[in-house]
Amino acid sequence: MAIQAALAAGKILEKYYETEILKEFKEDKSITTVADRESEEVIKKVICETYPGYCILGEETGYTNNKGDYTWHIDPIDGTRNFSNCLPFFALSIALEHKNKIIVGVVYNPITRSLFYAETGKGAYLNDKKINVSKDNSSHAILVSGKGKSAEDRKFARALMHYLPERFAGLTVRDFGCCALDLALLAQGGVEVGIELGLDGYDFAAGVLLVQEAGGKITKLDGSSWKFPDNEFIASNGVFHDLLVEEVQKQKKKLGI
Ligand code: IPD
Ligand code: CA
């Protein structure tokens, strides 16, 4: 069902992609478009047909139905800035949470036709092929990072992106602007580390399950156990996770955060 919803919403994104779409600015200065709204509407319609009464939390429309043990988390476009600038680096994200655990996750980029999905205990898949995190150590690693709107998160993310490559020779930094894809690509083995700071649950809900089901590791920044929807975490392929935690902590101390 979540896959069906993703494919239906993907058609909306394809329809609007590379058209002259109006960028609207929200109060927090982030961008939204008619495509974000239509995509969310389609996803919610498909969910409500199969799971009437379930709580849904969508970026564009907030909560639908009362809070219960299960919640669907929807980001109708993660990476709206890329989408509206005709950069094909965005995705929609759909996830089902049960009591602080994500049990279903789908991330879909309709432009590259990359459909990532996972269900607890059943592994992670990209277009029906099982995926796993990479085994690369820090000397061949790519680090990605997503950050929320606060000045502090942004400062910290910038500092880490500068500092960590100095500490780990061979570590390269990329800034994709799409947290859902950061995590999906980590699950696929394309990147080794994702540090996500201050984002909303719907940005990373599906991605975290992909990482976990692909054999990756997610902890809080201090290395302690992480649970949804904590929005500060290090996700990695696990190979040098503890060393990363050490370095992130050092930098945090240095900045007085
Ligand atoms: C964005 C992405 C990105 C993060 C931005 C978010 P949105 O989400 O998740 O990774 O760095 O701050 O705004 O707004 O395009 O859904
Ligand atoms: Ca969004």
Side-chain angles (χ1 to χ4, degrees):
M1 191 287 304
I3 290 178
Q4 189 197 333
L7 295 176
K11 291 206 177 93
I12 308 274
L13 305 192
E14 279 183 71
K15 178 180 86 179
Y16 284 111
Y17 183 60
E18 289 183 334
T19 65
E20 279 194 22
I21 199 160
L22 181 70
K23 293 178 193 171
E24 299 159 43
F25 291 90
K26 296 187 191 173
E27 259 174 43
D28 64 5
K29 295 198 175 63
S30 66
I31 297 171
T32 189
T33 69
V34 63
D36 294 73
R37 289 190 290 277
E38 279 189 27
S39 170
E40 183 155 319
E41 198 181 310
V42 166
I43 296 168
K44 282 171 71 174
K45 188 167 172 281
V46 178
I47 290 175
C48 287
E49 277 163 12
T50 316
Y51 295 93
Y54 269 54
C55 178
I56 300 174
L57 175 56
E59 177 170 8
E60 304 304 319
T61 51
Y63 277 103
T64 302
N65 298 328
N66 293 330
K67 291 185 187 170
D69 285 349
Y70 291 90
T71 302
W72 286 97
H73 295 266
I74 303 170
D75 192 342
I77 306 180
D78 187 45
T80 301
R81 182 173 286 261
N82 287 347
F83 172 80
S84 58
N85 279 23
C86 305
L87 303 174
F89 215 87
F90 60 87
L92 59 88
S93 173
I94 304 172
L96 179 60
E97 175 204 351
H98 179 236
K99 296 185 177 174
N100 302 100
K101 283 203 164 67
I102 303 298
I103 55 173
V104 171
V106 178
V107 171
Y108 181 46
N109 177 340
I111 306 307
T112 57
R113 300 270 151 103
S114 308
L115 179 69
F116 298 90
Y117 57 90
E119 212 181 315
T120 312
K122 295 191 177 167
Y125 294 82
L126 166 56
N127 297 336
D128 296 337
K129 202 172 156 224
K130 202 163 190 302
I131 52 175
N132 293 294
V133 293
S134 82
K135 294 186 169 56
D136 282 342
N137 62 26
S138 60
S139 55
H140 298 285
I142 293 181
L143 162 83
V144 291
S145 175
K147 57 252 166 231
K149 310 287 174 300
S150 86
E152 195 177 67
D153 286 336
R154 289 181 174 265
K155 187 177 167 197
F156 188 28
R158 269 198 309 275
L160 288 176
M161 286 188 140
H162 183 76
Y163 172 77
L164 292 173
E166 283 178 359
R167 304 301 297 169
F168 297 99
L171 181 85
T172 311
V173 168
R174 302 275 186 275
D175 191 349
F176 294 148
C178 175
C179 162
L181 280 182
D182 287 352
L183 297 169
L185 294 172
L186 171 47
Q188 187 208 345
V191 307
E192 281 66 37
V193 186
I195 300 183
E196 308 295 343
L197 305 169
L199 293 171
D200 292 299
Y202 40 73
D203 291 315
F204 55 80
V208 290
L209 183 65
L210 289 167
V211 171
Q212 288 166 332
E213 286 296 317
K217 184 166 180 177
I218 302 181
T219 67
K220 289 188 184 185
L221 301 188
D222 64 3
S224 62
S225 71
W226 172 89
K227 71 172 179 348
F228 187 83
D230 290 346
N231 69 354
E232 278 198 345
F233 59 87
I234 303 178
S236 84
N237 64 356
V239 176
F240 58 110
H241 197 98
D242 297 345
L243 293 174
L244 275 166
V245 167
E246 256 176 53
E247 295 300 339
V248 168
Q249 286 308 305
K250 275 188 207 163
Q251 188 63 9
K252 204 169 174 187
K253 216 168 163 190
K254 196 172 156 203
L255 293 173
I257 300 173

